[in-house]
Amino acid sequence: MFPSHRPRRLRQTPAMRRLVAESSLEPRHLVLPMFVADGIEAPREISSMPGVFQHTPDSLRRAATEAVEAGVGGIMLFGVPRPEDKDADGSGASDPGGILNRGLRWIADEVGDATVIMADTCLDEFTDHGHCGVLGADGEVDNDLTLQRYVDMAVAQADSGAHLLGPSGMMDGQVAVIRKALDGAGHTDVGQLAYSAKYASAFYGPFREAVGSSLQGDRRTYQQDPANRRESLREVDLDLAEGADIVLVKPAMSYLDIVRETADRSPVPVAAYQISGEYSMITAAAQNGWIDRDAAIFESLTSIRRAGADIVLTYWATEAAGWL
């Protein structure tokens, strides 16, 4: 008995596989996260993320131009202030002269509307305790006090040229208060890429080096428990009801089931963030000769697209866009 159904017929040549591919990966799907640091004289490589740098103004402009020329869909910018500029309220986040807002203006002046300029709308880089919000008398993050800081930060980022804001602190109601503030300040065209399902992941470690985090303790009272699935869908629904223009799942590769379920229910585009730990694991394995680096990068990005992400934030955005 020979099989009458032979799926291998559609795998015989690269042209055939390309013809029937169910998921595509294009430069426009990719967003490049970037770090701009205050007070450094030259770009500084992040030791746990080989090939990724904290940028100076000049290197930031060059890297942004390279990303645009490669065709990436957008740039997500994070600011790295000097330790002495951090305080309990993260005041540097809303200061027009703060490093993130200056960085947004540098990119806007360099590339304008040639790509989508995104800003991390969170306090963790700017607080001396490293949390994503303002601490109450009990030492825990105070949700509602933090929302006012997000409002101030959001308006400052929109004033600085961001097209999309990325509220990532997982405070209840953050999308709604930011939307109201943006509209009230005349920024009705500035959107929100809401970090709707953001987990308390062990894979964030290299990122904390990247932003010079001052974190004390953990973020488990506001980021989600990795054991939970339905909770994510509730968070997504709440952000959609509050006016999110795009919803995001973070991390990506350990949460592809959440990406899929979010994509199945969301009426707006879905993003997923291939985070620092995912980048570093692939990089380290490749440096040891254990895996094919380029093939692993391409496979990992394709898996995130296959799961349903319209947009993928990845530190390989510019490089991968060049391949594509």
Side-chain angles (χ1 to χ4, degrees), residues 27-292:
R28 68 182 182 90
H29 297 137
L30 307 177
V31 170
L32 177 66
M34 298 177 69
F35 305 96
V36 60
D38 209 356
I40 62 173
E41 299 294 328
R44 183 162 57 198
E45 188 172 29
I46 300 160
S47 64
S48 56
M49 300 176 68
V52 179
F53 293 83
Q54 294 177 342
H55 286 288
T56 65
D58 288 343
S59 69
L60 179 73
R61 294 186 184 100
R62 289 194 300 270
T65 298
E66 291 172 2
V68 170
E69 291 175 347
V72 302
I75 294 168
M76 173 64 80
L77 189 62
F78 298 84
V80 186
R82 298 176 302 178
E84 60 266 32
D85 292 333
K86 298 182 181 186
D87 58 33
D89 294 331
S91 59
S94 52
D95 181 355
I99 184 58
L100 178 52
N101 293 320
R102 283 154 53 209
L104 289 169
R105 292 195 295 273
W106 293 328
I107 292 178
D109 289 344
E110 187 72 20
V111 303
D113 293 335
T115 193
V116 179
I117 302 170
M118 309 175 188
D120 177 54
T121 310
C122 195
L123 295 175
D124 57 319
E125 297 100 305
F126 298 91
T127 55
D128 54 14
H129 48 73
H131 279 286
C132 298
V134 179
L135 301 185
D138 60 359
E140 298 293 333
V141 173
D142 186 308
N143 190 93
D144 297 356
L145 288 177
T146 298
L147 292 182
Q148 184 54 54
R149 293 293 300 123
Y150 286 0
V151 161
D152 298 339
M153 187 179 188
V155 173
Q157 291 176 341
D159 288 343
S160 298
H163 300 118
L164 281 176
L165 307 187
S168 60
M170 292 297 289
M171 295 298 119
D172 297 335
Q174 62 186 15
V175 172
V177 297
I178 290 174
R179 181 72 271 152
K180 182 178 179 180
L182 290 174
D183 292 350
H187 291 299
T188 55
D189 291 336
V190 174
Q192 292 187 73
L193 187 161
Y195 287 55
S196 300
K198 182 178 179 180
Y199 284 86
S201 173
F203 295 105
Y204 294 141
F207 179 88
R208 292 176 183 165
E209 179 193 351
V211 297
S213 175
S214 303
L215 181 64
Q216 302 166 18
D218 60 51
R219 297 177 175 139
R220 294 183 183 277
T221 65
Y222 46 101
Q223 294 179 354
Q224 290 178 225
D225 185 341
N228 292 355
R229 179 184 62 83
R230 289 191 300 271
E231 182 183 30
S232 290
L233 304 181
R234 184 186 184 200
E235 291 278 10
V236 167
D237 289 345
L238 287 170
D239 281 0
L240 290 170
E242 291 178 19
D245 300 284
I246 302 171
V247 292
L248 179 140
V249 176
K250 183 180 181 181
M253 292 174 63
S254 297
Y255 298 88
L256 294 178
D257 57 326
I258 308 301
V259 175
R260 179 70 267 162
E261 293 202 65
T262 300
D264 286 343
R265 74 196 293 123
S266 175
V268 303
V270 174
Y273 198 145
Q274 186 183 52
I275 65 168
S276 60
E278 299 167 44
Y279 173 94
S280 296
M281 287 191 300
I282 291 174
T283 299
Q287 288 177 337
N288 278 282
W290 297 335
I291 60 173
D292 181 322

